[in-house]
Amino acid sequence: MDSPENVKTSTSIAAATTLPSDSVAAPDSTIFGYISNLSPIKPVKAAPVVPGFPSLNSPPIVFTSPHLNPLCETTYLKRSQCPQLSCEELCQQDISGNKFEIGSNELEKSKTQSSSTLIPCVERIPPECIDKYLADTVEVNCENSAHSANLSLIQSGDDMPQSIKDFTDSKLDDKNDIRQDAEILMGAFPATPELAGQDFQGKSSFNDEPVETDAKQGGSEMPSCECPKVESGLSVEQQCELSVVQHAGAVHEDELGCASQFLPESLQPSQGYEDCSETTGEASNKIADNIVLHDPKGQHYSGMHRRCLRFEEARGNIVENSPGSRGSSNVVTSSSLPANLGDMEVFESSSLEISATSSGRHLINLTQPIISVIPPRNSGNPRSSISKPSGIGLHLNTIVNAKPMSCGASGSMQSAEKGYLNVQDGKLVSNMDCHQPESTKNSSILSNVREKLPVSSEDCSHEAQVSVATSYLPSQSLQIVKSSTDIAPLKQIMPDNTLISLLGSICLLKFSRKKASATNDGDGCKRCNCKKTKCLKLYCDCFAAGIYCAEPCACQGCFNRPEYEDTVLDTRKQIEFRNPLAFAPKIVQGLTDSSANSIGEDGNYSTPSSERHKRGCNCKKSMCVKKYCECYQANVGCSSGCRCEGCKNVYGKKEEYGMTKDVLSEGPVNERFESTFDELEMAASRDGLLQTELCNLDNLIPPTPSFQFSDHGNCAPKSRFSTRRCLPSPESNLTLPKSLETFDNNHDLLLKARKDIQGIDYYCQELDFSNAETVNELSPRYDGLSNICDLSTLPNPPSTAMAYLASSKISDWTTISRAQLCARSGHLSSVSSFHWRGSPITPVAQFGGTKLLGAVESDKKHHDVPEDDTPEILKDTSTPLKAVKVTSPNKKRVSPPHRRLHELGSSSSAGLRSGRKFILCGLCLLSHLYAMH
DNA sequence: GAGTTTGAAACT
DNA sequence: CAGTTTCAAACTC
């Protein structure tokens, strides 16, 4: 069970296991070190038992199933031990400034909880910091910074470019400050030079400057006090390596610009964190706090702190403190803990906060969708996406419904990067792996997210529970993009790489966020009641979701527990062998659905058209209006892939889906898009990889690396997390939906187009920041990203975005898609993969983490899977191993992608050509992983 | 809480 | 691939 003891044990184990890696990694600022840290890759089962499927150790598992993100692997999530505790309560407490208990036990618990349940429990924060922080977000601070490692990042005002300094100085006046954040960020940048791999001001690196990971150092240096909002969270006791960054948020454009400028480039693979705060443009949306603590050593999770912020409260704080400033800065300190998912969250409130801290794992973890993210309906944030019912559990659910927190999006991002940045040797190093127990990591991440999320108490219960991390990323990115102004400065200041990486990280964050919000019962915990399957079959929602069963579960003879990690992993492996997509998210983005995205005429909900159940349902009697129906349960409409009879799915009827499709195809303008759907589908069926890549763009968040593959079957139609659509892969020659071009004049159509475009939104964002600002609106459901893409809103559609959207040229897609897609997938590195088209430097997302990883994994599966992996436990139940069946997208079983390796090579090569660090890192990582296998 | 219904997962 | 069985969630009472 997830009793605290277990958790502890697991954590301790994890720590122990991780130690070696840490030792290696820690010193290593290099990519390898970073990579090595990744638990999934570790040859040894180091993976902390705690977090979910252990497995995560094994890359294959992670990668293999689309469902699982690499992160996920490591993080097979454990459920919160304290499901009972409502998020709300926690949040309230946090908010109230109640002290957090740091007890190791509690910490672990909290970690566990957070990770598993995603329920936002109060994060533990060093008492000092916490108290102050909570009490007064504004004040948080610098003082505390002493404790917080993060601050160390800030240290360097010295390092900061003069302009920046000036900037900061000029704005010191603001108390609210984002400025402070900016300062922090600036400090951070210097710290992260290597990561950025580029000079902040054209200089090669900041490396020279020592960045101190230690909170102490940071604290000392931080001028900080000036930046009230920024806090560094830090595990006091532990050395918190800084990993963070962030900028807080929302800043006015001016501020934003500055802030943005300061954004660390850390996006690079090595980098772990990035913080970018941006104001989405809404003052209301400021997010005040983000504290992310990472415990470098994992042993101490105390570093992690979570809080659930309420939007209102947060806003209030922010407003009070800095009426003018939109964004609050958030500083995330991460110890080695990857846990910054919380950071990742983006508040829908306008302010963005980006904390790059989260590592890929985190993302993955997030993916584990224990809870479906539900945006607070009452949050008062208009942007907030419509909350959906908790989703389906696991597989389905991993997906989280989170739709669009992003809409509101603002959020602070944490870099989704797998590693969080740590400052070592004066350098920021992102630690891919979390030495920490995965659970902890997860929890931390989640918690962070939670904290940042401005959520009403109500929301807390929902959102908090929901692992928001995944969902937020996009939004964050959106925000960033949105404020073109913000971006512009960034561009000026930031190297393309950095910027790109940043964006990528953002994307990752969002994804992770989505994942996080998987299933929850309302209490944030989904529980199973398995009696015969021992919770080792997909019947078990917990198992299917990649999480361990917990106390709330009423299962009998459960083996889905950390103590049976091996069994769980083996079983999982076996299942994946049989069906690589078994753990893939069931909900994937669909192309377009006319019915989607709006409340039905009849008052029915409609989900983003893009989301559809990957495999489709087969309902005969429930008419898809009951939870028996997976589509309905996931709050997605039925699609052509469904074999349901008498479909009355309020989220979208199968017939409607078909109609929509037809309509889109009919678009006068785009004949070339006519076959888009079919092509996508076919491509998907044909090539798992492509699909994966394409489809998974949206899915990146998805919990598992496999997640990206998940779409094999039907990438086109669905994506769990995001409303986004799958982008056609260049290879597939798929073209954009007709709708995009076709509907220029029709508002409704535009809406649809947006939806369609959502899949592309990243591109848009990435592509052209300058125009981002124009996009302000975010439909509640859609991620800000989509908005960015919104043609109507954009006076000057980003060239890239437009190009993508408008251009029928496949080449464009191909060019961009892959890299960007990869970026989305973000597994390996949100950062690394990020591709900014506009810049000459444009790093190409080389590895789409997804692909590469997936490839490796897939291969692995093919070769490594033992004939009989069936766990002893299950043997009696019979789980025959059979050759993997290849099936059409609609079929349950899908063949694993075969091209992965090939693609890897290509992608990697591309990356090399680009000369980007990311790429290199990615390659190294890949090679490393591959070698391991 | 027990029993029934339902459809996915597993199996043949 | 189709059909059947098993399973656990969803639902009903």
Side-chain angles (χ1 to χ4, degrees):
Chain A
M1 305 306 286
D2 290 347
S3 65
E5 291 178 354
N6 291 341
V7 171
K8 290 178 180 179
T9 301
S10 63
T11 57
S12 64
I13 293 168
T17 57
T18 59
L19 289 176
S21 64
D22 290 350
S23 63
V24 172
D28 247 352
S29 61
T30 63
I31 293 167
F32 283 98
Y34 182 79
I35 293 167
S36 65
N37 290 340
L38 295 179
S39 63
I41 297 167
K42 294 176 183 179
V44 175
K45 252 185 177 179
V49 173
V50 174
F53 277 16
S55 55
L56 316 179
N57 293 341
S58 66
I61 293 169
V62 171
F63 298 101
T64 56
S65 73
H67 188 109
L68 296 180
N69 283 341
L71 294 180
C72 292
E73 283 183 349
T74 57
T75 63
Y76 186 70
L77 296 180
K78 287 182 180 179
R79 293 189 177 201
S80 64
Q81 301 300 319
C82 321
Q84 303 302 341
L85 183 57
S86 67
C87 296
E88 239 181 329
E89 291 175 354
L90 293 176
C91 295
Q92 290 176 347
Q93 289 175 347
D94 291 347
I95 293 166
S96 64
N98 291 347
K99 65 184 177 181
F100 293 84
E101 291 178 353
I102 297 169
S104 62
N105 293 342
E106 291 178 352
L107 289 175
E108 291 177 351
K109 289 179 179 179
S110 65
K111 290 177 180 178
T112 302
Q113 291 175 341
S114 65
S115 65
S116 65
T117 59
L118 297 181
I119 295 168
C121 294
V122 171
E123 293 176 354
R124 290 176 184 175
I125 298 168
E128 319 87 38
C129 296
I130 296 166
D131 292 349
K132 289 179 180 179
Y133 180 79
L134 294 176
D136 180 349
T137 57
V138 173
E139 291 177 353
V140 177
N141 42 36
C142 301
E143 293 174 353
N144 293 343
S145 65
H147 295 287
S148 66
N150 294 340
L151 298 181
S152 62
L153 292 178
I154 297 167
Q155 72 184 31
S156 39
D158 298 343
D159 295 347
M160 297 170 67
Q162 184 61 39
S163 63
I164 295 168
K165 291 178 180 179
D166 293 348
F167 173 79
T168 59
D169 292 346
S170 65
K171 292 184 179 180
L172 292 177
D173 294 340
D174 289 350
K175 290 178 180 180
N176 293 332
D177 346 294
I178 296 170
R179 295 172 184 174
Q180 293 174 344
D181 292 346
E183 290 176 351
I184 292 168
L185 291 176
M186 293 176 67
F189 286 107
T192 61
E194 289 180 354
L195 294 177
Q198 292 177 345
D199 298 15
F200 181 84
Q201 290 175 338
K203 290 180 180 179
S204 64
S205 68
F206 296 92
N207 294 344
D208 294 350
E209 294 175 358
V211 173
E212 293 176 352
T213 58
D214 293 354
K216 291 177 180 179
Q217 291 174 343
S220 64
E221 289 182 356
M222 301 214 29
S224 48
C225 297
E226 295 174 354
C227 307
K229 287 180 181 179
V230 172
E231 286 181 352
S232 57
L234 315 177
S235 59
V236 173
E237 295 173 353
Q238 297 174 343
Q239 296 168 342
C240 294
E241 290 176 353
L242 271 190
S243 23
V244 176
V245 173
Q246 40 190 185
H247 58 258
V251 176
H252 289 292
E253 287 76 357
D254 295 352
E255 292 174 352
L256 289 177
C258 296
S260 64
Q261 290 175 346
F262 296 100
L263 295 177
E265 307 315 315
S266 58
L267 295 182
Q268 294 175 344
S270 65
Q271 291 174 343
Y273 291 33
E274 290 176 354
D275 291 323
C276 295
S277 63
E278 290 179 356
T279 60
T280 56
E282 292 178 356
S284 65
N285 294 339
K286 297 173 181 178
I287 295 167
D289 331 306
N290 292 327
I291 295 170
V292 174
L293 296 179
H294 291 283
D295 190 336
K297 293 180 178 179
Q299 289 174 343
H300 299 285
Y301 295 96
S302 62
M304 296 177 63
H305 301 290
R306 296 177 183 173
R307 286 191 302 181
C308 295
L309 293 180
R310 291 179 182 178
F311 287 95
E312 293 175 355
E313 289 178 353
R315 290 179 183 176
N317 292 342
I318 294 166
V319 170
E320 290 175 355
N321 294 338
S322 61
S325 66
R326 290 179 182 176
S328 62
S329 63
N330 292 335
V331 172
V332 174
T333 60
S334 62
S335 59
S336 54
L337 293 177
N340 291 336
L341 293 179
D343 292 348
M344 303 232 10
E345 290 181 350
V346 173
F347 291 82
E348 290 182 352
S349 63
S350 62
S351 65
L352 287 180
E353 289 176 352
I354 297 167
S355 58
T357 60
S358 65
S359 64
R361 288 183 178 178
H362 291 293
L363 292 177
I364 292 168
N365 291 341
L366 291 178
T367 47
Q368 294 172 346
I370 295 166
I371 300 165
S372 61
V373 172
I374 298 169
R377 291 179 182 177
N378 295 338
S379 64
N381 179 342
R383 290 179 180 180
S384 63
S385 60
I386 295 167
S387 63
K388 289 180 180 181
S390 63
I392 297 170
L394 318 177
H395 325 98
L396 291 181
N397 317 318
T398 15
I399 303 170
V400 181
N401 297 320
K403 297 185 173 186
M405 295 293 294
S406 54
C407 299
S410 49
S412 59
M413 290 183 62
Q414 285 178 339
S415 64
E417 298 171 353
K418 291 178 180 179
Y420 40 89
L421 296 178
N422 287 335
V423 174
Q424 291 177 344
D425 297 346
K427 293 179 181 179
L428 289 178
V429 174
S430 64
N431 292 339
M432 293 296 293
D433 71 320
C434 308
H435 297 292
Q436 296 171 343
E438 293 176 354
S439 64
T440 302
K441 292 176 181 179
N442 293 342
S443 66
S444 66
I445 293 168
L446 294 176
S447 66
N448 290 340
V449 170
R450 292 173 185 171
E451 289 178 354
K452 290 180 179 179
L453 294 178
V455 175
S456 62
S457 61
E458 296 171 355
D459 294 346
C460 289
S461 63
H462 295 290
E463 290 180 350
Q465 291 174 345
V466 170
S467 59
V468 174
T470 57
S471 66
Y472 291 89
L473 293 178
S475 65
Q476 291 174 345
S477 62
L478 292 177
Q479 290 177 341
I480 292 169
V481 173
K482 289 179 181 179
S483 61
S484 62
T485 58
D486 293 346
I487 293 167
L490 291 175
K491 286 182 179 179
Q492 293 175 348
I493 294 170
M494 297 174 71
D496 292 346
N497 292 344
T498 301
L499 180 61
I500 292 167
S501 65
L502 176 63
L503 292 176
S505 66
I506 291 167
C507 293
L508 291 177
L509 290 175
K510 183 176 182 178
F511 287 109
S512 64
R513 193 181 186 186
K514 286 181 179 179
K515 286 183 177 179
S517 62
T519 63
N520 67 8
D521 289 349
D523 60 351
C525 296
K526 179 139 191 171
R527 19 185 112 169
C528 68
N529 190 30
C530 305
K531 293 179 177 62
K532 296 180 180 180
T533 60
K534 298 171 183 173
C535 297
L536 292 177
K537 295 200 175 207
L538 293 174
Y539 293 122
C540 176
D541 286 344
C542 299
F543 178 80
I547 61 173
Y548 288 116
C549 292
E551 292 177 355
C553 296
C555 46
Q556 298 175 1
C558 180
F559 285 93
N560 184 26
R561 295 180 180 283
E563 50 266 44
Y564 300 103
E565 179 180 357
D566 292 343
T567 299
V568 172
L569 292 176
D570 290 344
T571 302
R572 187 180 178 85
K573 223 181 245 183
Q574 182 177 349
I575 292 170
E576 287 185 335
F577 177 77
R578 189 171 54 208
N579 176 11
L581 297 179
F583 295 93
K586 290 183 178 178
I587 303 302
V588 297
Q589 290 179 339
L591 290 178
T592 62
D593 187 354
S594 63
S595 65
N597 290 337
S598 60
I599 291 170
E601 293 173 354
D602 57 351
N604 292 338
Y605 308 90
S606 61
T607 56
S609 60
S610 62
E611 294 181 353
R612 288 290 183 277
H613 191 281
K614 179 176 68 181
R615 191 181 65 232
C617 65
N618 191 30
C619 304
K620 297 289 187 294
K621 296 178 180 179
S622 66
M623 295 184 286
C624 302
V625 294
K626 292 192 177 184
K627 286 190 172 181
Y628 295 122
C629 174
E630 289 191 351
C631 296
Y632 178 85
Q633 189 174 31
N635 300 320
V636 300
C638 290
S639 65
S640 60
C642 296
R643 289 137 287 167
C644 51
E645 296 176 357
C647 179
K648 293 181 180 178
N649 189 333
V650 297
Y651 296 104
K653 296 176 183 176
K654 178 172 69 176
E655 295 76 8
E656 290 177 349
Y657 180 83
M659 292 176 66
T660 301
K661 182 177 179 180
D662 292 344
V663 171
L664 292 176
S665 65
E666 291 175 354
V669 174
N670 305 315
E671 291 178 354
R672 36 187 168 183
F673 294 106
E674 290 178 354
S675 62
T676 302
F677 291 95
D678 292 344
E679 289 178 351
L680 289 175
E681 291 177 354
M682 292 181 67
S685 65
R686 274 190 308 233
D687 180 352
L689 287 177
L690 292 177
Q691 290 178 344
T692 300
E693 292 175 353
L694 294 177
C695 295
N696 288 329
L697 293 178
D698 291 347
N699 292 341
L700 294 181
I701 294 170
T704 60
S706 58
F707 180 73
Q708 294 164 343
F709 292 92
S710 64
D711 292 347
H712 284 287
N714 294 330
C715 107
K718 332 181 163 185
S719 72
R720 286 186 180 177
F721 299 115
S722 65
T723 58
R724 296 175 186 158
R725 301 171 71 185
C726 297
L727 295 178
S729 70
E731 293 175 355
S732 65
N733 291 337
L734 294 177
T735 61
L736 292 176
K738 294 178 180 179
S739 63
L740 294 176
E741 292 180 355
T742 311
F743 304 121
D744 294 348
N745 295 336
N746 184 319
H747 177 68
D748 292 345
L749 292 178
L750 288 175
L751 293 176
K752 291 179 180 178
R754 281 186 190 172
K755 293 177 180 178
D756 291 347
I757 295 165
Q758 289 177 341
I760 301 165
D761 51 7
Y762 281 104
Y763 295 146
C764 295
Q765 292 176 345
E766 292 175 353
L767 294 177
D768 183 353
F769 294 92
S770 65
N771 293 336
E773 56 188 341
T774 60
V775 175
N776 289 337
E777 290 181 352
L778 295 180
S779 68
R781 288 189 175 188
Y782 294 98
D783 291 353
L785 294 177
S786 64
N787 290 339
I788 292 167
C789 295
D790 183 351
L791 296 175
S792 66
T793 59
L794 296 175
N796 293 331
S799 62
T800 58
M802 291 302 291
Y804 291 116
L805 294 176
S807 83
S808 62
K809 294 178 181 179
I810 294 168
S811 63
D812 290 348
W813 285 96
T814 59
T815 301
I816 297 166
S817 67
R818 185 164 291 202
Q820 289 176 343
L821 289 177
C822 293
R824 285 184 180 181
S825 65
H827 283 303
L828 293 181
S829 61
S830 58
V831 172
S832 65
S833 64
F834 209 90
H835 172 78
W836 181 359
R837 198 173 184 194
S839 72
I841 296 168
T842 314
V844 173
Q846 293 353 349
F847 342 179
T850 324
K851 265 187 178 178
L852 295 176
L853 293 177
V856 170
E857 202 172 24
S858 65
D859 291 346
K860 187 176 179 181
K861 287 181 180 178
H862 292 292
H863 300 289
D864 295 345
V865 174
E867 289 298 326
D868 182 0
D869 288 347
T870 304
E872 293 295 329
I873 295 167
L874 294 178
K875 287 180 179 179
D876 55 343
T877 59
S878 80
T879 52
L881 289 178
K882 292 180 181 179
V884 173
K885 293 180 181 179
V886 174
T887 62
S888 66
N890 291 339
K891 305 291 182 174
K892 291 179 180 179
R893 293 186 172 95
V894 175
S895 64
H898 297 285
R899 294 180 181 178
R900 293 177 184 174
L901 291 176
H902 176 70
E903 290 178 356
L904 286 175
S906 65
S907 67
S908 66
S909 65
L912 291 175
R913 286 193 297 271
S914 68
R916 293 295 178 182
K917 287 181 180 179
F918 313 10
I919 294 168
L920 293 175
C921 294
L923 292 174
C924 295
L925 176 62
L926 291 175
S927 63
H928 178 71
L929 293 174
Y930 187 77
M932 291 180 71
H933 289 291

